[in-house]
Every structure is written in C-alpha cells, then in structure tokens.
Amino acid sequence: KPLINVHGPANDSARNNSDCPLVVLPEEVFFTISIVGVLENLLVLLAVIRNKNLQSPMYLFICSLAVSDMLGSLYKILENILIMFRNTGYLEPRGTFETTADDIMDSLFVLSLLGSISSLSVIAADRYLTIFHALQYHSIMTMRRTVVILGVVWTFCTGSGITMVIFSHHVPTVLTFASLFPLMLVFILGLYVHMFLLARSHARKISRLPRTNMKGALTLTILLGVFIFCWAPFVLHILLMTFCPNNPYCACYMSLFQVNGMLIMCNAVIDPLIYAFRSPELRQAFKNMLFCSRCQ
C-alpha cells in the first residue's frame, strides 16, 4: 500500500506492540459531516454566483477555498459509497475497479489539501494588497488577473495531486506532501511579519483604511487557525506512518487516525460558518437564498 495511505492508521505489528486501542468512529458520523460540508460550501458558491456584488477577487478566492473543502468532503462520501458496495458484494475487494477508484479518491483528498494551502496563500496575498496598496488594489487585482491566478493555482494543484498519488509509495513524495504544510505557514507568517513592520511605520495611514480591509485580515487569521488545527494532526500522522511505522509510541498516536480524519471533515463545515459570521454581505446572500427565494 502506498505510504500516503488515508485509509489505515498503522500496520498490525505496531498496533500489537502498543497499549493504545484503535479509536473507531461510526461511518455514519463521517458521512453526515461530509454531506453537511458539501452542502454548506455549495451554498457559498451559489451565493457568489447569484450575487453580482459578491463577484470580486476576495470572494472568488473564498470560492476557491470552498471548492477545496468540498473536494475533501466529496472524497469521504465517495469512499463510504465504495465501502457500501464492497460490503454488499457488488464490488470485488481489491479488484481493478476498486484500485482505480481508490486512486481517484486519493487524488481528490490530496487536491483538497493542496487547494486549501494555495487558496489560503492567495487570500493572504490579497489581504496584504488591500491593506498596504489600497489605492492601487483595483488596478493590481483585476477580475481577469484573479481568474488567471486561480487557473494557474488549480492547474498546478491538479497536476501535483495526480503526481503525488502515482508516486505515493516513494519517500520523497511523502516529504514533499508533508513539507507543503509548513511552507504555507512560513509564507503567510512572512507576510504577517512584513505587515506588522509596515504597520508600525504606517500606523496613521492604516488607521484611515476601511474597516473591511482589516476585518478581512482577521478573517484570514481565523481561517488559518482552523486549517492548522484540523489538518496538522493528519500531516503528523503521515510523517509517523512513513518514518516510524513499527514504533509503539507512533502507533499509539496513529490509533487516533479516524479522529484526525474527522477533524479534516469538520474543517469543511467550519469554514462556511466563518464566512457567514465575518461577512454581512455573504450572510445576507445566504438569507435571501434560504428564506426569501419567493421575494426575488
């Protein structure tokens, strides 16, 4: 089995040497959370598509993050369906179809992580421009450039995701997969430090900026914190599974595999709630879509 294995916590020998029991969560929990995640993020996409006042670079980048979250939830839904067909005898265990479907689902999973990392990074860059280049922002970040940026980002993520799944049994691939997480943090942290240093020297200028610009930076901080909390345990799981699969201490942590997986599913549910809570425009769009469809 490839080293990037999102289906199992550890090998049997390591579990036998560990005193920590394997934590098993009902598949119904994963399926329910995944369905909610897909519906919430689909609601975000529909709100931006249907409201012209939301069709701006900032909300397009948010849509990119919503697509990433939705892919992660869709992966788990497809996996549950595959397990159901296998358990009922309609699918040959470890057959050609299941192996191919497994690779496709793993690609969706990796694409979800890469898309989230890339989307958060471009949102951070966008927030930087709105704060320190507010007057030139609309000439710098046009809708055309936004679409080009997102096209490049998702082309890169798709190609990288497929490549990682194909070569997932190689250790360099695992290291590349795991290193993307801290690299994103370094990039965003670098922007934050630079923003802080500029803020000290331009305090009066920043105080005159619209509150929405600073509010957007705070929203990014919340999104980033939730992303780290939800994804970091799984990234650590990947590293431990690669470099110390037979160690009982590593196996003890990896016994929490399904808990770590549930955190990833929860990320897709939490992000849309953050958008709605932090953005009055998006919150109003949700209300119009859900409760006032007859009024439009």
Side-chain angles (χ1 to χ4, degrees):
K1 187 66 181 175
L3 289 176
I4 298 182
N5 178 9
V6 296
H7 302 294
N11 61 39
D12 293 333
S13 62
R15 286 200 298 268
N16 292 337
N17 294 328
S18 174
D19 295 329
C20 301
L22 182 64
V23 178
V24 179
L25 300 177
E27 285 296 328
E28 292 79 8
V29 174
F30 286 97
F31 191 76
T32 302
I33 295 176
S34 300
I35 289 292
V36 174
V38 169
L39 293 178
E40 284 187 358
N41 286 283
L42 186 60
L43 189 63
V44 172
L45 297 178
L46 291 176
V48 174
I49 292 173
R50 294 182 57 180
N51 293 270
K52 291 186 177 181
N53 59 319
L54 295 180
Q55 295 174 6
S56 64
M58 179 183 70
Y59 283 107
L60 288 185
F61 293 140
I62 287 178
C63 284
S64 177
L65 184 58
V67 170
S68 303
D69 289 337
M70 194 161 55
L71 288 176
S73 298
L74 186 61
Y75 148 80
K76 193 59 184 177
I77 293 173
L78 294 176
E79 184 189 54
N80 282 5
I81 294 174
L82 194 67
I83 292 174
M84 181 183 67
F85 276 109
R86 185 177 62 186
N87 292 341
T88 54
Y90 289 100
L91 190 64
E92 179 187 356
R94 298 300 174 189
T96 303
F97 177 80
E98 183 181 359
T99 302
T100 303
D102 191 54
D103 289 339
I104 293 174
M105 290 187 299
D106 286 350
S107 298
L108 287 178
F109 182 84
V110 176
L111 183 59
S112 175
L113 175 61
L114 295 178
S116 296
I117 291 174
S118 301
S119 298
L120 286 169
S121 298
V122 295
I123 290 174
D126 180 70
R127 292 301 88 198
Y128 176 85
L129 291 174
T130 59
I131 293 175
F132 295 104
H133 300 279
L135 297 179
Q136 298 86 14
Y137 174 78
H138 293 290
S139 60
I140 296 175
M141 192 59 67
T142 62
M143 288 294 290
R144 182 176 180 180
R145 287 180 180 173
T146 300
V147 172
V148 170
I149 291 172
L150 291 177
V152 172
V153 163
W154 280 100
T155 300
F156 169 78
C157 290
T158 303
S160 300
I162 295 173
T163 303
M164 285 185 178
V165 171
I166 293 175
F167 298 100
S168 58
H169 52 285
H170 297 292
V171 173
T173 304
V174 179
L175 292 176
T176 302
F177 178 85
S179 65
L180 292 173
F181 193 83
L183 284 175
M184 178 209 67
L185 298 183
V186 170
F187 171 74
I188 296 180
L189 181 61
L191 279 181
Y192 270 51
V193 171
H194 189 52
M195 288 166 66
F196 174 75
L197 295 176
L198 285 177
R200 293 186 61 183
S201 59
H202 299 83
R204 186 174 300 177
K205 179 181 177 181
I206 293 177
S207 65
R208 295 196 298 266
L209 288 175
R211 290 186 61 185
T212 53
N213 290 0
M214 301 305 298
K215 190 175 182 179
L218 181 58
T219 301
L220 169 65
T221 304
I222 298 173
L223 289 171
L224 181 62
V226 171
F227 176 79
I228 294 172
F229 178 80
C230 293
W231 278 91
F234 177 80
V235 174
L236 178 59
H237 169 91
I238 290 293
L239 293 175
L240 295 180
M241 187 173 61
T242 303
F243 296 106
C244 59
N246 298 315
N247 187 293
Y249 295 102
C250 295
C252 190
Y253 176 83
M254 288 187 284
S255 66
L256 300 173
F257 170 77
Q258 291 199 1
V259 177
N260 297 337
M262 187 180 67
L263 285 176
I264 294 175
M265 300 299 105
C266 289
N267 185 39
V269 176
I270 296 173
D271 279 352
L273 300 179
I274 296 174
Y275 310 148
F277 179 76
R278 300 291 303 173
S279 172
E281 297 85 0
L282 196 56
R283 188 164 59 247
Q284 184 60 44
F286 289 159
K287 290 180 181 179
N288 291 338
M289 291 176 60
L290 295 175
F291 305 114
C292 299
S293 58
R294 295 182 180 180
C295 302
Q296 295 179 349

